Amino acid sequence: AAAQIIDTEQRFAAAVAQLGMRDGFLQFVAADAMLIRKSAVPAVATLQAEPADRYWLDWYPDRIVTAGVGDIAVSTGPFESRAERNDRRSIIGRYFSIWRRDELNTWKLAFDAGVHFDKRECAPCLAPLAQRSRKDWALPDPGPDADGARQAELRFEQAQHAGDRSALTKAAHPKILVMREGQDAFEGAAAVAAIEALAHVDATSRSAVVISQSDDLAYVWGEMQSALGKHGNWARVWIRNPEGWRVLLDWNDLPQAR
């Protein structure tokens, strides 16, 4: 399934390069997909309401995880964007995408978000196609499931709301990826140490927890508010291993003040 995601992402990037962001995305988003703008918005309606564009975007996945039955997948990697293809001024960041396989056995984009952390002049900024590589990330390895992903998420949110800065440490997968606006991603133990030093935020709303049919990969997203009253968006990917459900990816789009 990982090879299928790589192929889908390559065709997706080629469509965006040829057609622009609006029309390229419309070929790959699910009917109920959500994109992050200032908040989570329905992808199809939002894209259809936007004018045709010359926006240039390039990316590739350097980490992929798929559910055991291959119905849900998560990919993440670097991206580069420009107002137009020939602009030298680029915005660099990291995206993550959640994919679902539909009834026609086609992978469709269900959720898409990312962080921006650099601006530079380069043409191009990303590695050439032949030098793009993928890192080992994680594989579902289900053990006993006493509570389930929904209970794991609820327990995590309750701990955060109570001000427990160790909530992520307790829930983190060893290969967790933490994404915060304005910074490159943190991974593993360094990610947990970094995130615990950041400002406390509370989830104010969330979607339903979507769980794979193999009960080993799940995701959830919502809105949040910082201690300073700033509003933003968040998402989490959960993976099941022998110790239970663990957070594999934790993202929000609030710039973090130490």
Side-chain angles (χ1 to χ4, degrees):
Q4 295 172 358
I5 296 299
I6 292 172
D7 176 70
T8 300
E9 292 251 29
Q10 289 175 342
R11 290 187 289 107
F12 186 15
V16 170
Q18 179 181 1
L19 303 173
M21 185 170 174
R22 183 195 70 179
D23 294 339
F25 266 69
L26 281 170
Q27 289 193 3
F28 286 84
V29 294
D32 60 350
M34 303 297 289
L35 302 177
I36 297 296
R37 295 294 195 255
K38 290 184 178 179
S39 61
V41 296
V44 174
T46 299
L47 291 166
Q48 288 177 338
E50 294 177 348
D53 62 86
R54 300 175 65 186
Y55 196 76
W56 184 88
L57 181 65
D58 189 21
W59 73 91
Y60 66 93
D62 62 11
R63 293 171 178 83
I64 297 171
V65 61
T66 59
V69 296
D71 60 337
I72 294 176
V74 181
S75 60
T76 178
F79 75 82
E80 175 187 355
S81 65
R82 305 178 199 164
E84 295 185 3
R85 175 182 292 273
N86 294 327
D87 285 356
R88 290 188 60 84
R89 191 69 171 173
S90 293
I91 297 175
I92 311 300
R94 172 168 288 273
Y95 77 92
F96 86 93
S97 298
I98 297 172
W99 298 87
R100 292 201 317 264
R101 197 194 295 269
D102 67 12
E103 63 278 3
L104 299 177
N105 208 32
T106 301
W107 286 103
K108 290 292 186 178
L109 185 66
F111 186 89
D112 190 68
V115 294
H116 311 80
F117 52 77
D118 200 4
K119 293 183 179 180
R120 63 182 75 172
E121 289 191 7
C122 49
C125 292
L126 297 189
L129 188 62
Q131 298 178 19
R132 298 180 179 185
S133 60
R134 186 161 60 92
K135 301 178 181 179
D136 290 334
W137 199 8
L139 292 172
D141 183 18
D145 186 17
D147 294 325
R150 293 182 180 89
Q151 289 75 20
E153 172 63 29
L154 178 61
R155 191 163 53 246
F156 181 84
E157 290 176 18
Q158 290 172 338
Q160 279 197 320
H161 185 71
D164 182 358
R165 286 180 175 256
S166 67
L168 194 61
T169 299
K170 296 171 183 175
H173 186 278
K175 292 188 176 181
I176 186 174
L177 199 68
V178 177
M179 298 170 62
R180 295 293 184 266
E181 183 60 32
Q183 303 177 67
D184 202 349
F186 303 97
E187 185 173 14
V192 175
I195 201 61
E196 286 185 345
L198 301 180
H200 173 69
V201 295
D202 268 335
T204 56
S205 70
R206 68 172 169 89
S207 68
V209 180
V210 180
I211 308 172
S212 66
Q213 293 181 16
S214 47
D215 197 28
D216 55 10
L217 194 64
Y219 66 91
V220 60
W221 53 268
E223 297 181 352
M224 64 181 186
Q225 180 172 307
S226 74
L228 299 177
K230 294 184 178 180
H231 293 270
N233 305 282
W234 62 271
R236 265 185 294 280
V237 174
W238 291 85
I239 191 170
R240 190 171 154 201
N241 67 13
E243 289 73 44
W245 287 92
R246 294 291 182 265
V247 178
L248 182 63
L249 186 147
D250 189 271
W251 164 86
N252 74 54
D253 60 1
L254 278 179
Q256 301 294 317
R258 293 185 180 277

